[in-house]
Amino acid sequence: MGHSPRPTFRGGFANTGDDPCLNPSSSSPSASARSNTPLEKNIHEKRLSTASVHFGSYLKTTADASTSRPSSARGRGRPSQNPSREQLEHLLSETEDELETFGINEMRDGFFDATFFRPLPRNHQQMMRRASETLPLALQSHHPLSFKYFIPQQWSELRDSVQQVATTSSGLNLLKSFLGFFVGYIVCLITASRQWLGPHSYILPLSALLNHAGRPVGSQIDGAILTIVGAAAGLGWGSLALYVSTSTTTAQKGYGGVLAAFLVVFTAMVALLRCTFIRLYQAVISAADTSETVGWRKVFNYGIPWVLGQAICLTISFVVFPTAGARALTLSFHDALGTISQGLVLPRSDDLSLRRDLSWHFVRLSTAIRDFTIEISVSRFAPEDVRSLRNLAQSVIRALLSVKPDTQLFDLPSRTSGQESASVNETQQVPVDEYRPSKEDTQPVLNLIGRRLASPTRRLIDAMAACIASCDAAIIDLGGQRRHLRPRYHSQELSQALQVLSASIASFEAADAALIADPAFPQKASTIPEAVALFLFVHPVRQAADKVQAFSEKVLQIQQGRPSWAFRLPSYPLYKQFSRINAQVRHDRGGLTANVYFRTKAQLDRTMEDLQSRPFVPTSRSNIRGGEGVPDPTTTAKRQEAAAAEPRLRQSDQEKIRYKVWVVLHRMQGFESRFALKIVLVTTLLSVPAWLEQSRDWWNAYDSWWTVVAVWLMTHPRVSGTFQDLAVRLFCVILGAVWGGLAYAAGNGNLYVMAIFAAIFMIPMIHRYTQSLHPRSGIIGCISFTVVSLSTIAEQDGPSTITIAWTRGLAFAVAITASVLTNWVMWPFVARHELRKSLSAMMLHLAILYRGVVSKYIYYVDGQEPSAQDIERSEMLEGRLREGFVRIRQLLELTRHEIRLRAPFNPLPYSALIEACERFFEHLVEVRQSSLYFQASLRASNAMVNDGLISYRRDAVAVVLMNLYILASALRANKPTPQYMPSAAAARKRLIVRMEEVEATQPQESGDMGQKDGRRWADVYRFAFSMALTDIVEQLQQMQKCIREVTGEAEFAAVAFHFIAGLSTGILSASLLQPADLLKTRVQQAHSASLLQTFRGITSGPNSLRQLWRGTLPSVIRTGFGSALYFSTLNALRQHVFRSNLLASAGAVPAAQTSPHRNPISSSSSSSLPQLSNLANLTTGAIARASAGVVMMPITVIKVRYESNLYAYRSLPGAAAAILEREGLRGFFAGFGATAIRDAPYAGLYVVFYEQSKRRLSQLLDATTTTSASSSGVKRSPSSSSSVPINFASGVLAAGLATALTNPFDAVKTRLQLMPGRYANMVQASRQMVREEGVRSLFDGLGLRMGRKAVSSALAWTLYEELVRRAEGTWREAGPSL
């Protein structure tokens, strides 16, 4: 692992925690009674499955001899049976192998020794049922594209919106946004002001919409400046383009080309700016005119209304209920502290939704601080104070996430009887080696712990809750939001609550010390799992109290400083401000999109890359016993050398020209360049009518340039929308255009009527734009109404109202359709693909984090313990990973907002995989935290011991890393995972066995839990440490199962085997049944000949027996290779269809078998192929046969003519040469149409009839078997002896039915191949045969063909399925030996 050859052992790798889903008996009855959901029950069972703990003799050496009680020394001898080994064996029992027998060990010098077992079994229904409990709330509701729930969903959203507007500050924000628009709209309705503003006066209310007044003052100022600058830049560039295009006669001839060049350059630049620096989003809103005259009046007509609209919004934002940035920050802290208060409701079940809420607020606090510091604000909060509050609040959340909330502490009796005390004293006399706690031994100890700690812990929890509530009230008062939020507590109570908390902490410490000093408290309490579980509850609560105390002290310090309201400029780093925007602008850009995820992912990737590329050289911290320590000179020199070498390496790379070129080219491949190209392409194509002389007049007359502007507004750099989004946006456009026309027509342009119409329409539409989850449909509806209604009143002498309404509405409709379709077609953002890639990246990040925790906190050289800086850096990294999980779940929610053409998406395995990864991460954090509280008694100076454990430790760590790397790679590439992977559980078991052997040879000192300096918790955290390490192994196995549900498992040469099996069956059936095929060809060749006459004619000549097998070689080649291609193609298609969600939604896969990647072969079926529906069987069979027929068509033509007596071919090469000479290459494909029409339906119908016959016959056999075995109660699955006759009988029946239905095509095909000169095509041949010989000619050779097909198909399919069945059985039995 790149460490010293003698790393220090940091505690027992002993706990093996089992999967509670597979071992439900491991939970206690009380735990089950308190669990609410199956998932919570499983979590609780896992946490209380404490019998799997192995402490051995790895007990902390007594730090102070005066405080320790006498203990028996552990001697040498044979190690006792380890309970953790039993749990690991149960964990390994899923492989159905014994470790010492069938496991394959791969020994690699210098790498690691891997143990392989059979793939883990997967119960698909059980996995999906548990995965459904992990889904985010947004995915637990009805699908947004469901027509059944569309109307109820819209009604529910309307009801919630009305309630939100009426009861929260959203109503004030809506009032301000509407007021800004309405003032500008009224100004445009007044004749004098409208005439002064010019023909495009509607720019004024549109300006007030795009930077609406419902934002905080700082955001309003920022938006006003940016939008004015952007509009000026657009107008300036457009004016320059018009000036250049009309400056000379030559330029006027190339008018359209000049404008196109200017448009392309400008559009590409602003599109790149829009994606690269999202802070400039509002600055890229611009408009342009396309007339042939340029002057200041044109700039005035566009620029002045825009500036006036911004002025109106600024005025309203400052005057009407102003908010200056503190409100959003206060609400974020209020919500976070409210969730923290819920987390302090203890005891409770381990609520998954609450844990996610805590993680969400952990991330949201950082977002709120960024929003507060990137804009101008007026508040009492200083930026440095809110950052400190954020860090302290996050530390509280981090501490609460470490608490195991479900505990028995408060259920224990408050008093202990004398008999119980005596029982405890008796247990102390039992030697440590022989002690196995029983219920009689355990209960007195638990009662003693409850009597001592239950009441102090309860007071501590209550005091923390009171402090959090008082801090909430104080922050609300500082933010000036008491009148709106109305907290129950008063900020003046914070000082008193903090005093109570300090007293509670002191009381808890005293009670804890009294418990340790109590003579009735046994020395070996650390060997009682239930007691350790109680300590694992109370000590994290005690740690959380420290965090709450620090947070409360900071709030009290700010409160006592009596800060005044102050005008604060942005304090966020300038270079980062360009990639950040405030919350309201983020919403107005499109609501929940992938931009936040990609920004978080990029930041996390940079952090992980930096962590991975830097060698770890830890800094020695002070000696705990000796006070201030002296830094190790060697360590300091290494750190300085590494720090000095890294800039030189980076500088040398950056100096290379090819590296700089690569950086530029790589950046040009990003989504920014792709978005710029899409925008350039769409806007250029839509602007073509403006550059052409024939269409320029109506383009300007009807303001069709709104199409280009709307495309620019509605096209998102990443996401596009669903069919529902497209339909809703088109509906809003049409509704806005119609309503705008009605507003003018209702009162013939009356000012008051139009104002009333505007209020009725715009209030809900502005709410949809500024506060709902669908801002784009809202903004385009607002623009449509505004443009149409104000254009009608501005052009009263121009086109009619209907003309204005439909032309402007059509322009917006074209823009919406173009924007959505472009993102669908050109480099679309597919959330499900990004989700898969993000999970793959997260698994690689977990591997890096796991490696770092192992190197920094578990195995390290003495004197190089993790420092405070290392711990702080780890906590920062863990915070970013928490944010990463939050964003990944948001990405999972985006999968519901994709078009149906991408096929239905099953989020369950992805949700389960996210949950497994997050729990892996939580256990890894628990390992890091636990490793800080104890040290091993095996010293690094014992070289012999460490040398004996290095290889086992290496294997245990390397196997986890290898699994993560393999799974992440398979998931990213969307390729099947290997069936056999290194077993992490086996590696861990080997380590534990080796530790026991070493332990038995080493004298150990026994200690107790009464050590000073906080070390009395060493044994408790050794428990948590061991449990978390084994939980990591369990979650790794869960990740394997989930990824196999997504990607499937790699198969052993499946394609090659199916090809060989098909080839074998084809050769056998063709060789045996060649006489029947020869007779069928001769009968169809001459309609007048009967079967008996044909047979006598063949056998009357010399070598009669040989003549019956004439054409066997081409028939064997055709049938053999044709069957090989057919069966291999059919198997691949059936597997693909079985795993295809698209065909599953169409009914191709039975409802009971919609698993994407589980084993498609039913264990109770006679079939060795996937079980599909009739539609899927028909389709796959037809496609596979048609594909094989195309390839084998030349051999088929040669075979038919070789069998016929119309051609005297002496050899196959001679036949091929004659056909090529007379008919060319086309002759080899004579009758292909008829062949395809015959073979495709025949194969499709055959598979349908074959599968249905097998199913019916299997049911009949099962019924018979069940009846005969009812006395014994044993139900047997179909064996090989029973499946063979079922498959053969099914093949005969299916072939007979399919042959009878397709024989006319076979008769026509034979005539076309034998007599191409007489019959031109299939239709002409059919008509001529019916006209000359009657309908019966279409059924010539039916008996022979039916008999031959029945026998050959039944023989081929039975042999093929039996070969597949036996091969798969051999693979399963051979296991990893293959």
Side-chain angles (χ1 to χ4, degrees):
M1 297 298 295
H3 304 287
S4 171
R6 297 177 182 177
T8 301
F9 175 65
R10 296 277 297 174
F13 288 75
N15 177 36
T16 63
D18 193 14
D19 187 353
C21 304
L22 301 174
N23 186 19
S25 61
S26 62
S27 62
S28 62
S30 60
S32 302
R34 283 192 296 271
S35 298
N36 297 327
T37 65
L39 183 62
E40 294 170 358
K41 180 179 178 181
N42 295 337
I43 295 172
H44 180 72
E45 289 172 350
K46 179 188 293 296
R47 290 305 179 191
L48 293 187
S49 181
T50 52
S52 62
V53 181
H54 165 62
F55 291 103
S57 64
Y58 293 100
L59 300 178
K60 179 69 180 67
T61 304
T62 304
D64 191 348
S66 63
T67 61
S68 61
R69 295 184 294 273
S71 61
S72 60
R74 183 181 179 90
R76 304 188 182 191
R78 184 175 180 271
S80 59
Q81 177 64 29
N82 186 348
S84 69
R85 290 180 58 183
E86 299 174 1
Q87 293 292 332
L88 269 179
E89 288 172 357
H90 181 74
L91 192 65
L92 289 168
S93 65
E94 290 187 343
T95 62
E96 301 178 4
D97 278 319
E98 293 293 336
L99 182 66
E100 294 78 15
T101 56
F102 298 103
I104 299 301
N105 293 326
E106 183 178 7
M107 314 300 291
R108 298 184 180 182
D109 294 337
F111 195 49
F112 71 95
D113 303 334
T115 303
F116 296 84
F117 292 97
R118 293 175 180 174
L120 296 174
R122 304 195 309 274
N123 187 324
H124 173 74
Q125 286 77 10
Q126 189 178 36
M127 286 185 63
M128 294 302 100
R129 183 173 60 254
R130 290 170 181 165
S132 63
E133 301 172 3
T134 67
L135 283 175
L137 292 178
L139 291 173
Q140 294 179 8
S141 59
H142 299 297
H143 199 282
L145 300 183
S146 174
F147 290 102
K148 179 180 180 181
Y149 301 102
F150 179 77
I151 300 300
Q153 180 182 0
Q154 299 304 312
W155 172 252
S156 177
E157 291 183 3
L158 177 61
R159 185 180 61 244
D160 295 341
S161 298
V162 172
Q163 181 179 3
Q164 181 183 18
V165 169
T167 59
T168 67
S169 61
S170 300
L172 298 179
N173 294 333
L174 177 60
L175 174 63
K176 293 165 62 177
S177 301
F178 171 73
L179 191 59
F181 164 82
F182 197 67
V183 170
Y185 191 81
I186 294 299
V187 170
C188 294
L189 291 179
I190 301 174
T191 304
S193 58
R194 182 177 69 250
Q195 292 177 353
W196 180 79
L197 289 173
H200 302 295
S201 58
Y202 48 71
I203 297 296
L204 173 60
L206 292 181
S207 175
L209 271 176
L210 294 176
N211 188 35
H212 58 85
R215 299 169 180 172
V217 173
S219 301
Q220 199 67 45
I221 296 174
D222 182 72
I225 295 174
L226 290 175
T227 53
I228 291 174
V229 171
L235 289 172
W237 189 266
S239 300
L240 178 61
L242 290 171
Y243 175 78
V244 172
S245 62
T246 58
S247 58
T248 63
T249 305
T250 304
Q252 291 179 1
K253 294 180 179 179
Y255 174 80
V258 175
L259 288 182
F262 272 83
L263 177 64
V264 167
V265 174
F266 179 75
T267 305
M269 289 191 303
V270 295
L272 287 174
L273 288 175
R274 176 177 175 178
C275 296
T276 307
F277 306 108
I278 61 174
R279 185 68 180 273
L280 303 179
Y281 166 73
Q282 299 178 94
V284 297
I285 306 301
S286 61
D289 189 20
T290 57
S291 61
E292 296 188 12
T293 60
V294 179
W296 286 110
R297 186 62 187 176
K298 294 294 180 182
V299 178
F300 178 89
N301 290 339
Y302 287 96
I304 297 302
W306 189 273
V307 174
L308 287 178
Q310 297 304 309
I312 292 173
C313 289
L314 272 175
T315 303
I316 293 175
S317 180
F318 275 97
V319 174
V320 181
F321 304 107
T323 57
R327 176 179 175 79
L329 181 65
T330 304
L331 288 176
S332 297
F333 274 106
H334 172 67
D335 295 339
L337 294 178
T339 305
I340 290 174
S341 298
Q342 297 178 18
L344 288 173
V345 177
L346 298 171
R348 53 177 170 79
S349 60
D350 195 354
D351 188 2
L352 182 62
S353 62
L354 181 57
R355 294 181 65 86
R356 289 183 180 176
D357 288 343
L358 288 170
S359 298
W360 162 244
H361 286 294
F362 186 96
V363 175
R364 188 186 176 193
L365 284 175
S366 297
T367 305
I369 300 303
R370 284 196 295 264
D371 293 343
F372 178 76
T373 55
I374 64 173
E375 61 186 23
I376 300 171
S377 62
V378 179
S379 68
R380 292 175 179 172
F381 297 107
E384 58 274 10
D385 289 336
V386 295
R387 291 190 184 98
S388 298
L389 286 178
R390 184 267 315 272
N391 295 335
L392 293 172
Q394 288 179 339
S395 68
V396 174
I397 293 175
R398 193 182 298 113
L400 285 181
L401 289 173
S402 301
V403 174
K404 311 301 183 296
D406 198 351
T407 180
Q408 301 178 2
L409 179 66
F410 304 105
D411 299 333
L412 297 173
S414 59
R415 295 182 179 274
T416 305
S417 63
Q419 294 180 353
E420 290 174 342
S421 299
S423 177
V424 174
N425 293 331
E426 291 175 2
T427 62
Q428 295 185 26
Q429 306 303 321
V430 181
V432 176
D433 288 349
E434 303 175 4
Y435 180 65
R436 293 291 180 269
S438 63
K439 183 176 181 180
E440 292 75 12
D441 301 329
T442 300
Q443 194 60 43
V445 178
L446 300 182
N447 293 342
L448 177 62
I449 296 174
R451 180 167 58 87
R452 290 288 188 179
L453 295 183
S455 180
T457 304
R458 169 52 60 194
R459 290 196 297 270
L460 189 63
I461 294 172
D462 294 340
M464 285 192 291
C467 272
I468 291 298
S470 300
C471 289
D472 185 25
I475 292 176
I476 289 174
D477 289 340
L478 290 172
Q481 301 298 320
R482 173 167 286 274
R483 184 165 58 91
H484 303 288
L485 299 178
R486 299 177 182 177
R488 294 187 298 109
Y489 284 73
H490 292 279
S491 58
Q492 292 80 8
E493 300 176 2
L494 177 57
S495 177
Q496 181 180 358
L498 192 55
Q499 293 176 3
V500 174
L501 178 60
S502 300
S504 300
I505 292 175
S507 174
F508 178 87
E509 291 291 337
D512 181 51
L515 173 66
I516 299 300
D518 194 327
F521 187 70
Q523 171 194 355
K524 60 189 74 62
S526 62
T527 61
I528 302 176
E530 291 83 356
V532 175
L534 294 179
F535 283 111
L536 281 178
F537 169 76
V538 298
H539 191 245
V541 169
R542 171 65 183 84
Q543 288 180 310
D546 288 338
K547 306 300 182 182
V548 172
Q549 185 180 31
F551 177 75
S552 303
E553 290 174 350
K554 182 62 179 179
V555 175
L556 182 62
Q557 176 188 350
I558 297 174
Q559 184 187 42
Q560 292 177 345
R562 298 184 181 278
S564 58
W565 293 92
F567 183 82
R568 306 183 189 278
L569 294 175
S571 59
Y572 202 69
L574 182 62
Y575 71 96
K576 292 184 178 180
Q577 288 189 28
F578 288 101
S579 60
R580 297 281 189 263
I581 53 177
N582 61 71
Q584 185 62 53
V585 179
R586 283 198 302 270
H587 174 273
D588 296 344
R589 291 180 70 237
L592 178 62
T593 63
N595 280 338
V596 177
Y597 158 74
F598 280 104
R599 187 165 59 249
T600 302
K601 181 178 181 298
Q603 185 179 16
L604 184 59
D605 289 343
R606 287 193 299 268
T607 303
M608 284 298 183
E609 183 179 0
D610 184 65
L611 178 65
Q612 186 179 16
S613 61
R614 290 185 179 182
F616 171 68
V617 184
T619 302
S620 299
R621 63 185 178 186
S622 299
N623 193 311
I624 297 178
R625 298 191 183 96
E628 295 184 359
V630 179
D632 184 4
T634 304
T635 301
T636 304
K638 289 181 179 179
R639 187 177 290 276
Q640 293 175 352
E641 181 181 355
E646 187 176 358
R648 291 197 301 270
L649 292 175
R650 294 184 177 180
Q651 184 178 5
S652 62
D653 287 339
Q654 293 178 356
E655 287 176 351
K656 298 177 181 179
I657 297 179
R658 60 184 181 182
Y659 175 77
K660 295 180 179 179
V661 172
W662 177 85
V663 170
V664 174
L665 293 177
H666 182 72
R667 188 61 182 268
M668 291 179 64
Q669 298 176 6
F671 82 97
E672 300 93 344
S673 301
R674 295 178 178 180
F675 174 68
L677 182 59
K678 287 192 289 188
I679 287 295
V680 167
L681 180 62
V682 176
T683 55
T684 302
L685 292 177
L686 292 177
S687 301
V688 169
W691 306 329
L692 301 177
E693 190 69 29
Q694 301 88 337
S695 55
R696 191 180 308 163
D697 292 337
W698 65 261
W699 172 273
N700 293 324
Y702 298 127
D703 287 348
S704 299
W705 47 268
W706 273 112
T707 304
V708 180
V709 176
V711 162
W712 172 242
L713 289 174
M714 300 300 295
T715 305
H716 193 275
R718 292 194 186 272
V719 297
S720 54
T722 62
F723 282 120
Q724 180 184 359
D725 296 328
L726 177 60
V728 170
R729 292 171 192 175
L730 290 175
F731 174 77
C732 290
V733 163
I734 297 172
L735 182 62
V738 172
W739 195 263
L742 290 176
Y744 178 83
N748 196 21
N750 183 274
L751 171 65
Y752 300 103
V753 174
M754 295 191 69
I756 293 174
F757 269 78
I760 294 174
F761 180 82
M762 291 300 293
I763 289 177
M765 199 60 67
I766 289 178
H767 176 270
R768 188 175 183 87
Y769 164 46
T770 61
Q771 298 182 21
S772 75
L773 298 177
H774 314 284
R776 296 195 179 188
S777 58
I779 183 60
I780 198 63
C782 293
I783 294 176
S784 177
F785 168 80
T786 304
V787 171
V788 171
S789 62
L790 293 182
S791 295
T792 55
I793 197 171
E795 303 178 16
Q796 296 181 6
D797 299 332
S800 64
T801 303
I802 297 178
T803 302
I804 292 175
W806 79 261
T807 53
R808 271 63 167 187
L810 180 62
F812 289 119
V814 170
I816 291 172
T817 306
S819 64
V820 174
L821 292 181
T822 300
N823 271 342
W824 283 356
V825 175
M826 297 183 63
W827 300 298
F829 169 80
V830 185
R832 65 193 64 180
H833 295 171
E834 293 297 336
L835 176 64
R836 179 171 46 79
K837 296 176 183 178
S838 66
L839 282 171
S840 173
M842 181 59 71
M843 294 176 67
L844 293 178
H845 296 336
L846 291 177
I848 297 173
L849 183 65
Y850 179 82
R851 188 190 65 182
V853 169
V854 169
S855 63
K856 292 181 183 180
Y857 297 93
I858 301 179
Y859 302 136
Y860 56 83
V861 179
D862 279 339
Q864 295 185 356
E865 297 88 350
S867 64
Q869 291 80 8
D870 295 326
I871 297 174
E872 182 180 358
R873 190 182 303 112
S874 296
E875 291 179 349
M876 180 272 295
L877 179 60
E878 291 163 4
R880 292 189 176 176
L881 283 170
R882 291 185 194 278
E883 182 177 2
F885 282 112
V886 171
R887 304 306 181 195
I888 288 176
R889 283 198 171 88
Q890 291 178 346
L891 195 62
L892 178 62
E893 295 178 13
L894 286 177
T895 58
R896 299 193 69 179
H897 301 280
E898 294 181 325
I899 59 176
R900 282 185 178 270
L901 291 180
R902 300 199 188 282
F905 173 74
N906 183 14
L908 292 178
Y910 290 91
S911 180
L913 179 57
I914 296 173
E915 183 67 21
C917 291
E918 191 167 14
R919 291 201 173 275
F920 183 99
F921 165 72
E922 295 291 351
H923 295 319
L924 197 53
V925 172
E926 190 175 357
V927 168
R928 181 190 64 79
Q929 293 175 343
S930 302
S931 65
L932 300 174
Y933 289 91
F934 73 95
Q935 293 177 337
S937 58
L938 291 180
R939 304 293 181 175
S941 59
N942 193 333
M944 184 178 300
V945 172
N946 285 281
D947 289 343
L949 290 175
I950 281 179
S951 61
Y952 297 93
R953 295 169 177 170
R954 174 204 64 191
D955 294 347
V957 174
V959 167
V960 174
L961 294 175
M962 180 64 109
N963 275 270
L964 289 173
Y965 294 150
I966 292 175
L967 294 175
S969 301
L971 187 62
R972 181 172 182 83
N974 198 21
K975 298 296 183 181
T977 57
Q979 286 191 345
Y980 300 98
M981 298 181 63
S983 174
R988 182 161 172 74
K989 180 179 177 181
R990 291 178 59 208
L991 174 62
I992 292 175
V993 172
R994 179 57 180 166
M995 283 171 51
E996 289 180 343
E997 295 173 355
V998 173
E999 175 187 336
T1001 62
Q1002 296 295 320
Q1004 298 292 327
E1005 297 182 10
S1006 179
D1008 56 29
M1009 300 179 65
Q1011 304 159 27
K1012 294 182 178 179
D1013 300 325
R1015 304 307 302 173
R1016 60 178 175 270
W1017 299 103
D1019 292 332
V1020 174
Y1021 276 95
R1022 184 179 294 108
F1023 175 95
F1025 179 85
S1026 300
M1027 181 171 62
L1029 283 173
T1030 303
D1031 286 341
I1032 285 176
V1033 174
E1034 288 191 28
Q1035 296 306 320
L1036 188 63
Q1037 291 188 354
Q1038 185 66 20
M1039 291 158 64
Q1040 290 181 14
K1041 295 178 181 179
C1042 294
I1043 291 178
R1044 281 173 173 147
E1045 285 289 323
V1046 174
T1047 63
E1049 287 182 344
E1051 300 177 353
F1052 288 104
V1055 176
F1057 178 79
H1058 284 277
F1059 185 90
I1060 294 174
L1063 178 65
S1064 303
T1065 58
I1067 291 175
L1068 179 61
S1069 62
S1071 301
L1072 294 178
L1073 302 174
Q1074 175 60 22
D1077 192 58
L1078 178 68
L1079 289 172
K1080 186 265 301 182
T1081 302
R1082 296 289 179 89
V1083 169
Q1084 289 181 340
Q1085 167 188 327
H1087 172 66
S1088 59
S1090 64
L1091 175 61
L1092 183 59
Q1093 293 175 345
T1094 304
F1095 179 77
R1096 290 175 177 176
I1098 295 174
T1099 57
S1100 60
N1103 300 323
S1104 58
L1105 186 61
R1106 184 177 179 181
Q1107 289 298 319
L1108 290 174
W1109 268 266
R1110 176 180 171 83
T1112 301
L1113 182 59
S1115 182
V1116 165
I1117 294 176
R1118 171 192 173 273
T1119 306
F1121 284 96
S1123 298
L1125 291 173
Y1126 170 66
F1127 281 117
S1128 57
T1129 305
L1130 180 63
N1131 176 73
L1133 286 173
R1134 290 169 68 92
Q1135 294 286 350
H1136 177 74
V1137 169
F1138 184 85
R1139 296 169 179 172
S1140 171
N1141 288 328
L1142 177 63
L1143 292 179
S1145 66
V1149 181
Q1153 302 188 28
T1154 54
S1155 165
H1157 294 289
R1158 73 180 184 86
N1159 184 11
I1161 302 170
S1162 174
S1163 60
S1164 61
S1165 171
S1166 67
S1167 178
S1168 297
L1169 300 174
Q1171 305 297 303
L1172 303 180
S1173 67
N1174 292 335
L1175 174 63
N1177 288 326
L1178 180 66
T1179 305
T1180 55
I1183 294 176
R1185 175 55 68 185
S1187 301
V1190 172
V1191 178
M1192 303 306 300
M1193 192 63 201
I1195 301 297
T1196 302
V1197 173
I1198 295 175
K1199 171 252 183 190
V1200 171
R1201 295 192 181 183
Y1202 203 80
E1203 291 174 348
S1204 171
N1205 58 6
L1206 298 178
Y1207 300 90
Y1209 297 138
R1210 298 182 178 274
S1211 63
L1212 293 181
I1219 295 173
L1220 181 63
E1221 180 181 357
R1222 295 180 182 179
E1223 306 171 36
L1225 291 176
R1226 186 176 181 180
F1228 289 104
F1229 294 90
F1232 170 72
T1235 302
I1237 294 177
R1238 178 201 67 174
D1239 290 347
Y1242 170 80
L1245 292 172
Y1246 177 86
V1247 177
V1248 171
F1249 296 147
Y1250 179 71
E1251 293 294 338
Q1252 287 295 324
S1253 299
K1254 286 197 304 181
R1255 186 169 65 87
R1256 302 291 183 182
L1257 293 176
S1258 296
Q1259 291 176 352
L1260 180 62
L1261 178 63
D1262 289 343
T1264 305
T1265 305
T1266 304
T1267 303
S1268 61
S1270 58
S1271 57
S1272 60
V1274 178
K1275 183 178 180 180
R1276 296 186 296 269
S1277 299
S1279 61
S1280 177
S1281 58
S1282 60
S1283 62
V1284 169
I1286 290 177
N1287 294 339
F1288 191 86
S1290 300
V1292 171
L1293 293 174
L1297 292 173
T1299 302
L1301 293 175
T1302 59
N1303 193 81
F1305 301 110
D1306 182 72
V1308 174
K1309 184 267 307 183
T1310 303
R1311 297 291 183 95
L1312 286 172
Q1313 291 176 340
L1314 292 178
M1315 293 169 277
R1318 182 179 179 184
Y1319 301 106
N1321 53 60
M1322 183 178 64
V1323 177
Q1324 185 265 338
S1326 302
R1327 291 177 178 177
Q1328 186 171 347
M1329 290 172 61
V1330 173
R1331 184 175 60 252
E1332 295 179 355
E1333 306 173 21
V1335 177
R1336 185 178 178 182
S1337 62
L1338 298 177
F1339 293 91
D1340 286 340
L1342 175 61
L1344 281 174
R1345 184 169 180 262
M1346 183 178 294
R1348 173 187 171 277
K1349 279 289 186 180
V1351 178
S1352 64
S1353 297
L1355 179 63
W1357 275 82
T1358 303
L1359 180 60
Y1360 167 75
E1361 290 219 50
E1362 194 62 25
L1363 288 175
V1364 172
R1365 178 188 296 274
R1366 292 179 179 273
E1368 291 180 348
T1370 303
W1371 288 338
R1372 283 192 291 267
E1373 292 176 2
S1377 63
L1378 292 177

